[in-house]
Amino acid sequence: MFVVLAAMTLIASAQNDGLKTFDGKMFSCLYPAEYAAEDPWMDEVFNAYIEGTPCHFNAGISADVEFSDADIKNWGEGTARDQKEFMKGWKVEPCVVKGKAVYVISEGKEDNVPSVQVQYLVNTPSKHVFSGRFLFLKKDEAKYRPLIEKILASFKAK
């Protein structure tokens, strides 16, 4: 039995490699391990950052909201369109819809540093919607891009 428990612990650690868990009053989620969590100033919002860089992770929860599949796609397409219009000098990719989550990736310069931004929305069956922004350095793209969908799948309302 101890062997099974140890193996399960190792598997869980490997699955979340590079990620930490935020466990707040209203929700929980995974976020990049290198990012330092700020003390929450609101139960509905979580922020983390890498000091001395423009890198940050932001997540917020809205209750009693339900998006249809069409709403999710429209949000993503509208966000991509807005970014193309207002984020001059940034390359904006088409939105990606994965189940009840949608995200838009853009590349440009944040504080004159080559960066990648992920703006996202996650709908849940419990009528809670999560939204936020994840910004990392372009040079770290190979490390962080594979974590995006794992992070988005981790959001849980309490």
Side-chain angles (χ1 to χ4, degrees), residues 68-129:
S68 68
D69 291 346
D71 292 334
I72 291 168
K73 185 176 181 191
N74 288 338
W75 183 93
E77 289 173 347
T79 298
R81 188 175 46 252
D82 289 348
Q83 286 183 6
K84 284 178 184 175
E85 183 177 341
F86 298 110
M87 295 177 71
K88 302 298 182 199
W90 285 69
K91 176 185 155 208
V92 181
E93 298 178 13
C95 71
V96 176
V97 178
K98 288 283 188 172
K100 297 292 184 180
V102 60
Y103 58 93
V104 176
I105 297 176
S106 51
E107 296 180 20
K109 288 191 175 183
E110 183 83 10
D111 298 335
N112 285 326
V113 178
S115 302
V116 177
Q117 171 186 266
V118 181
Q119 196 166 352
Y120 64 86
L121 177 98
V122 179
N123 195 28
T124 68
S126 61
K127 292 191 176 183
H128 289 87
V129 173

Side-chain angles (χ1 to χ4, degrees), residues 26-28 42-46 58-67 75 120-132 155-158:
M26 293 188 70
F27 70 96
S28 65
M42 294 178 67
D43 293 341
E44 299 89 355
V45 177
F46 170 67
N58 165 277
I61 184 173
S62 299
D64 297 323
V65 179
E66 190 169 11
F67 280 73
W75 183 93
Y120 64 86
L121 177 98
V122 179
N123 195 28
T124 68
S126 61
K127 292 191 176 183
H128 289 87
V129 173
F130 298 94
S131 60
F155 282 98
K156 304 276 186 288
K158 293 184 176 184

Side-chain angles (χ1 to χ4, degrees), residues 18-22 30-38 46-51 53-58 115-118 133-138 140-141 143-145 147-148 151:
L19 297 170
K20 291 192 282 194
T21 300
F22 164 72
L30 296 174
Y31 68 100
E34 295 84 9
Y35 287 56
E38 287 184 353
F46 170 67
N47 292 294
Y49 61 94
I50 297 177
E51 190 155 344
T53 74
C55 301
H56 67 273
F57 178 85
N58 165 277
S115 302
V116 177
Q117 171 186 266
V118 181
R133 182 176 181 229
F134 174 26
L135 188 82
F136 51 87
L137 300 180
K138 174 74 174 151
D140 295 330
E141 186 171 17
K143 176 173 36 174
Y144 291 123
R145 250 199 208 243
L147 300 178
I148 294 169
I151 290 169

